[in-house]
Amino acid sequence: MRITAPTHTARIALALAVAALAGTSACSAEPAKGSPAGDAKSGGTVVQVAAAESFWGSIAGQLGGEHVKVTSIISNPDADPHDYEPTAADGRTVAGARYVITNGAGYDAWSDKLIAANPATGRGALKVGDLVGVKEGGNPHQWYSPESVHKVIEQITADLKKLDPADAAYFDQQKATYLGSTLAPYDKLVADIKATYADTPIGASESIVTPLAEGLGLKLLTPESFLDATSEGTDPTAADKAAIDAQIKGKQIKVYVYNTQNDTPDIKAQVDAAKAQGIPVATVTETPTPADAPFQDWQITELQGLAAALKQATGK
């Protein structure tokens, strides 16, 4: 639940102050004690990881296994990472972390302030936007890009090996298991959809669908300005809405994909219009649903839904 007082500026100041006070605890990974979840069962090092968003935190936790303890700052599906107001507890989380993962690309600028309030020697940091070459103003929703997801997996593993070199072989094995088994159904769905439905025209409600469509080889017809407006919470233009209405009415799109966590009146009208025209509708969410779903389970469910909609629309 979001607290309405104090003000946004005061809340960030409080979180930064707490982070600064807690900074002395962030200098090294903790030795494992063997009992709480997240401690290494065989002893050794547990790297404290702070992830700004739970989708990246989920991947880090699975790659790090018993040698990491991950705390994700945003895990509530009702929280909007764009305008999230960090708490004092968030400041303590970042202050105590030896590795911090943020999305970047303008998506979670508040996290930069938390990190800056507590500079720590030897701390590792991953900003996904910088890793994949997406700057502020570009599409920040790179957890929907299969290519970017794989780059993040490689980088997290490399970073953990630097932070805890004694367990490097363990991290390599964790990555091999994650890619070879855990994430394999996700990769297969991506490959199968691309092979079967490449260039199929689709419509979408907002820009989180863009990296997914690109990764799957689908042709996204919705005007980019409309997708961005919905994602950023601004009013779309009448021209864009008219263009989408024409696409739906003329069945220029085969499937409509929308984010159920951001169903504005305009989006609801488009969904209803698509259904009325017999156009299958698939859904996605910006953050994992349910909140504790592992990254791959969440994404596989959505990909299965999209594949079913594409099959219904094309008969393939």
Side-chain angles (χ1 to χ4, degrees), residues 104-121:
Y107 189 73
D108 48 11
W110 50 268
S111 64
D112 293 332
K113 297 176 182 178
L114 288 179
I115 295 170
N118 180 47
T121 302

Side-chain angles (χ1 to χ4, degrees), residues 2 7 11 20 32 38 42 53 65-66 78 85 88-89 120 128 164 193 197 224-225 241 243 256 261 290:
R2 180 170 294 175
T7 65
R11 284 167 59 83
S42 58
E53 297 87 12
E66 65 183 35
D78 295 329
E85 297 179 2
V128 173
D164 179 13
I193 292 172
Y197 303 109
E224 183 178 353
S225 51
K241 290 192 285 185
Y256 184 88
Q261 291 175 334

Side-chain angles (χ1 to χ4, degrees), residues 5-316:
T7 65
H8 176 75
T9 301
R11 284 167 59 83
I12 291 181
L14 175 62
L16 297 182
V18 171
L21 289 172
T24 56
S25 67
C27 296
S28 64
E30 293 183 354
K33 298 178 178 132
S35 53
D39 285 355
K41 295 176 183 177
S42 58
T45 298
V46 173
V47 179
Q48 300 295 319
V49 180
E53 297 87 12
S54 62
F55 35 80
W56 298 130
S58 173
I59 292 174
Q62 294 177 82
L63 291 173
E66 65 183 35
H67 286 288
V68 301
K69 183 176 181 181
V70 178
T71 302
S72 295
I73 292 175
I74 295 182
S75 58
N76 183 347
D78 295 329
D80 185 350
H82 293 275
D83 59 5
Y84 180 73
E85 297 179 2
T87 66
D90 298 333
R92 289 191 294 271
T93 293
V94 171
R98 196 176 176 209
Y99 186 46
V100 180
I101 304 170
T102 61
N103 192 76
Y107 189 73
D108 48 11
W110 50 268
S111 64
D112 293 332
K113 297 176 182 178
L114 288 179
I115 295 170
N118 180 47
T121 302
R123 173 192 285 155
L126 169 60
K127 184 177 288 190
V128 173
D130 290 351
L131 174 68
V132 302
V134 178
K135 303 300 182 183
E136 186 169 356
N139 193 314
H141 308 102
Q142 292 302 303
W143 59 97
Y144 269 105
S145 164
E147 180 181 0
S148 293
V149 167
H150 277 267
K151 288 181 179 179
V152 169
I153 290 168
E154 295 295 332
Q155 190 62 51
I156 289 175
T157 301
D159 289 344
L160 290 176
K161 288 166 67 176
K162 289 179 181 178
L163 291 166
D164 179 13
D167 294 308
Y170 174 85
F171 295 131
D172 283 335
Q173 183 57 52
Q174 288 293 107
K175 185 184 76 170
T177 300
Y178 191 64
L179 292 175
S181 177
T182 310
L183 198 67
Y186 164 89
D187 286 332
K188 185 177 188 305
L189 275 166
V190 169
D192 288 349
I193 292 172
K194 188 171 185 177
T196 306
Y197 303 109
D199 295 323
T200 300
I202 67 168
S205 67
E206 62 177 279
S207 62
I208 66 171
V209 181
T210 303
L212 179 63
E214 292 172 349
L216 299 175
L218 303 175
K219 188 176 181 180
L220 182 55
L221 298 187
T222 307
E224 183 178 353
S225 51
F226 179 90
L227 300 172
D228 291 341
T230 306
S231 294
E232 295 165 7
T234 60
D235 292 330
T237 66
D240 281 348
K241 290 192 285 185
I244 295 168
D245 290 343
Q247 290 173 358
I248 293 173
K249 186 175 181 180
K251 293 188 175 182
Q252 297 172 35
I253 60 173
K254 297 295 184 181
V255 171
Y256 184 88
V257 185
Y258 83 104
N259 175 11
T260 58
Q261 291 175 334
N262 190 17
D263 53 349
T264 67
D266 287 328
I267 300 307
K268 289 179 180 178
Q270 290 171 13
V271 170
D272 290 343
K275 291 179 178 179
Q277 292 294 329
I279 297 172
V281 173
T283 62
V284 295
T285 56
E286 185 154 352
T287 56
T289 305
D292 60 351
F295 172 82
Q296 64 280 352
D297 292 0
W298 167 49
Q299 291 288 301
I300 287 168
T301 297
E302 292 186 344
L303 288 169
Q304 289 172 335
L306 178 56
L310 289 164
K311 182 176 182 179
Q312 179 184 343
T314 64
K316 295 181 182 179

